[in-house]
Amino acid sequence: MVLYPTAIRYAETILNPDGLFRSLSELSSDVPPDFSSGAYGVVFRVTVGGKPCALKCFTRHQPGRAEAYRRMAQTLEPFWQEETACLVPFRWLENEITVFGDDDSVSVHPVLQMEWVEGRSLTRALEEAVAASDREALERLAEAFDKMALWLLDRPFAHGDLKPDNIIVREDGRLTMIDYDGLYLPEMAGERARETGTEGFRHPDRSETEFGKQIDDFPIALISLALHALARWPELYGRFGGASALLFDPALLAQGSCPAYNSLKNTDMASDPLFAMLGSGAERFDGLAEALARHLSTAEISSPVYDYEGEPGREGIRLVRRNGRYGFVTESGTVVAECIYDRAREFSEGAAAVCRDGRWGFIATDGGWLHEPEYEECGDFSEGLAPVCIGGKWGYVDGTFRLLSRPRFDDAWPFSQGRGLVRKGDRYGYAGPDGRMAIPARYEFAQGFREGAACVTEGGLYGYIDRRGRYLIEPMYDYARSKRNGRSYVERDGEGREIEW
């Protein structure tokens, strides 16, 4: 395992940078350097080519970090161009900084170079406003957070570690998210989370296997409701708050014994939809965007046609949203289905999953029902099959919506190369085209099949199996990714590389 330098050792290089950076030759820093530390690294404020930027240096190992940041940069680049973007541009620089150890040993490490955001953390802004009992400032922070959260919910990715310390209040009042170590991208579906968020802001049941678009739902609801409550009663922060938990303790919320939450039950805050969401014990919330939008004025949330427009899929149809409801239109703007659905997903193989009144069904490309809502949850069609949840258990249906077998799985994902990834208890396996087990659920974690191989873990190590469950590569890696274009990214003893096979 690679031993990472301490913040002090990184600072020594940054203060004496000549010849110790591979590409940032024009780097300079204040004396003493301005920096802040986090769970996985330390961020320095430096100047490169006359422009201020943030330089993140890592102090702890995180499996898959390098490849994750490379994928993030590629996927997020179009969003950085948006005027309302709530993320900052960054570059992953491999083998960038040379550091000397206590024994004069030399090691080379990657860094993350980010645009510097002028401002202060939401934690600091909140504490200053509370100390001054400045209700107007607190209301502005609450409104800015809701706008940022709505922007994030409209995007296909999730932050993964939302908390006030990871949000910067810019000088113009806008909020910007920083620290992307736990970010989720659509292409990461089925992977294990690199981190699970910060205690005090994450759902108590969140685990590494809970990694998807809705991982931010709980912290968004928790922070938004807390900010709006503090805008009404700043004194609540002194009674119940603190940077580690804001107002609401997630563990006590789950037990129904959170003092701050219970103190609001007899106030009009209890009518806020977010109040019911947090009290439900759930980790994901339908209607979250609509609940946030209720906090904003009509002028702020209105748009010429739709609040959100997705990209057209193979069918030439895009998912849209208006006033918190979802529908579908063609590329030319012709309405396929009005915005009447509580939730919806893009079309896949001629069918789109939609939700009405808490139940899921499927519509066709003309907007008519293929199967009216009856499922508690469902996945997309792939290879002619779709996973559906009935009575709390998952199974698969075919194109006629015939169940292939009795629902028996605790979770299920769309098919890939004739195998559907499923979970039974805390173990993963694969179903075959008949809906029954093709590879027993014996793995600690698993990913979908790609190019004839699937990445699985046993004994805490990653390996690869074929479609019959035989090992192509025995478990030996600390981290590994699915095969792509004949290559796989793997890590062992802190060193990452690609293997060709």
Side-chain angles (χ1 to χ4, degrees), residues 378-432:
C378 65
D380 296 327
F381 270 93
S382 176
E383 300 182 4
L385 304 174
V388 298
C389 183
I390 302 174
K393 293 292 184 179
W394 288 79
Y396 289 92
V397 295
D398 62 17
T400 65
F401 298 94
R402 176 182 63 90
L403 272 169
L404 301 185
S405 63
R406 177 178 58 83
R408 65 187 68 186
F409 308 119
D410 294 305
D411 212 340
W413 288 264
F415 262 67
S416 174
Q417 298 194 326
R419 295 290 182 263
L421 176 63
V422 297
R423 178 175 62 84
K424 297 179 74 173
D426 62 354
R427 297 286 163 166
Y428 294 78
Y430 297 86

Side-chain angles (χ1 to χ4, degrees), residues 484-501:
R484 290 175 183 268
N485 301 318
R487 294 173 175 270
S488 297
Y489 176 83
V490 298
E491 289 184 5
R492 190 173 183 180
D493 297 331
E495 296 291 335
R497 64 188 178 94
E498 281 194 339
I499 58 172
E500 188 170 356
W501 54 300

